[in-house]
Amino acid sequence: MTVTSLEALPAFERHLRAERGRSVHTVRAYLRDVETFLSEAGVGDDDGLREVSLADLRAWLGVLSRRGAARASIARTSASLRTFFGWLERTGRISTDPSLRLTAPSRHRTLPPVLAQRSATALLDVAEVAADDDDPIHLRNRAALELLYATGIRVGELVGLDVDDVDLASDVLRVVGKGDKERRVPFGVPARQAVAEWLTRGRPRLVGPQSGPALLLGRRGRRADQRQIRSVVHDLLQHVPDAPDLGPHGLRHSAATHLLEGGADLRMVQELLGHASLATTQIYTHVSVERLKASYAQAHPRA
């Protein structure tokens, strides 16, 4: 019996999707990590799962390290294996979870690049000027960038928005994030104006049989995709002097950092971004502190 025919794997996949609400990408990554380990460990049937030991798991992480795998990849593999074997024990497929004491190297918390506030303003000014030609795609691009920066939503969440998810009367978005968790995210006047112009002057000229309720459309009338929006962000940033080359996620980082610099509460930012853990949001406090230190070193005569 091959690894892919293990009866436990399809059940584990259903558990991740239905019970834990994991995204398609996360489920795929977990299954790939587990299947690779089981194949390398020679586990060919469900009975073999009972023979896996902590030493086997540690040895596999060691192999990945010697092969030059990134620390983040090893940490994710460790999480995948702990999730899998913990689920096996809870469902009675094994009597003891061998992964209870499995640890992985801690992931480096790299500081994400962000735009200075003046650069973010300049980027949105560029998008607004481009939209003056009344090209519906340029109107869409302006609305997309305003929403990304105003709300800090993920690009996948942005392109998944439907028209009814935008409440221009109360300036609030209904966003469906990771794990199909829904949240409400406010936005400001510039974003409202950009979206209103897109809905009245841009979208009606692109809408077609395949548009459905999608908020953002491509040139052919289909729902805009992440690749299109990434291209827009990269292209428009070329017109902002001294700005780093960021994608949409860079605008998310920038929005969070600027909120904290403006005095926003960390838990409020966590809620806006849709982070499951406050620890994920705390990296933005490090960004703010590092930028403060850099400004201090540059400006203070005794730095």
Side-chain angles (χ1 to χ4, degrees):
M1 181 179 291
T2 63
V3 166
T4 53
S5 65
L6 281 166
E7 293 181 6
L9 288 178
F12 180 57
E13 180 177 4
R14 289 192 296 273
H15 162 72
L16 292 175
R17 293 184 188 278
E19 298 176 32
R20 300 194 62 171
R22 294 293 188 246
S23 70
V24 172
H25 297 296
T26 299
V27 172
R28 187 180 299 128
Y30 272 39
L31 290 174
R32 182 173 60 247
D33 291 340
V34 171
E35 288 182 349
T36 301
F37 164 73
L38 295 178
S39 177
E40 294 283 343
V43 178
D45 55 34
D46 287 72
D47 288 338
L49 295 171
R50 303 185 183 95
E51 306 302 321
V52 175
S53 66
L54 176 61
D56 295 327
L57 298 173
R58 285 174 171 168
W60 176 237
L61 297 186
V63 168
L64 293 178
S65 179
R66 290 191 295 275
R67 289 179 180 176
R71 293 167 69 97
S73 296
I74 298 174
R76 190 203 65 211
T77 297
S78 177
S80 300
L81 294 174
R82 289 197 305 271
T83 300
F84 178 62
F85 283 97
W87 171 80
L88 289 175
E89 182 187 36
R90 289 193 305 275
T91 57
R93 289 173 168 85
I94 59 175
S95 58
T96 304
D97 177 5
S99 71
L100 285 176
R101 291 186 291 133
L102 183 65
T103 59
S106 59
R107 297 176 60 170
H108 290 302
R109 301 294 289 181
T110 56
L111 301 181
V114 296
L115 294 175
Q117 292 189 32
R118 65 180 181 278
S119 296
T121 299
L123 172 65
L124 297 171
D125 288 345
V126 169
E128 182 177 3
V129 170
D132 283 343
D133 65 2
D134 211 35
D135 184 321
I137 290 297
H138 293 164
L139 291 169
R140 181 208 66 185
N141 294 347
R142 181 192 172 203
L145 264 65
E146 286 283 3
L147 285 176
L148 284 171
Y149 179 63
T151 65
I153 61 176
R154 304 172 179 92
V155 64
E157 295 170 341
L158 174 73
V159 299
L161 290 173
D162 291 338
V163 173
D164 290 344
D165 292 328
V166 185
D167 186 346
L168 293 179
S170 58
D171 295 344
V172 172
L173 286 182
R174 172 186 173 273
V175 180
V176 178
K178 291 185 176 181
D180 291 330
K181 294 181 179 178
E182 182 179 317
R183 67 186 190 278
R184 305 278 173 167
V185 184
F187 54 86
V189 173
R192 182 214 305 153
Q193 293 173 340
V195 173
E197 289 187 13
W198 157 246
L199 289 175
T200 56
R201 294 167 41 208
R203 189 179 185 278
R205 291 151 61 189
L206 295 179
V207 71
Q210 296 179 301
S211 300
L215 174 65
L216 301 180
L217 303 176
R219 186 75 72 179
R220 297 181 180 179
R222 300 188 184 95
R223 184 184 292 272
D225 60 35
Q226 297 185 35
R227 178 187 53 80
Q228 292 170 330
I229 304 302
R230 287 194 186 96
S231 179
V232 169
V233 176
H234 287 297
D235 290 347
L236 292 183
L237 271 172
Q238 300 292 321
H239 302 281
V240 180
D242 301 322
D245 183 22
L246 305 177
H249 215 66
L251 292 185
R252 177 173 164 86
H253 292 321
S254 301
T257 302
H258 298 165
L259 279 167
L260 290 169
E261 289 176 344
D265 177 77
L266 188 64
R267 289 197 177 277
M268 184 271 282
V269 176
Q270 176 192 7
E271 181 71 19
L272 288 175
L273 297 183
H275 285 158
S277 168
L278 189 63
T280 307
T281 315
Q282 284 175 330
I283 189 172
Y284 297 111
T285 63
H286 301 320
V287 176
S288 298
V289 168
E290 288 301 317
R291 292 176 63 180
L292 177 63
K293 289 166 62 179
S295 297
Y296 177 86
Q298 183 178 11
H300 200 286
R302 305 284 286 184

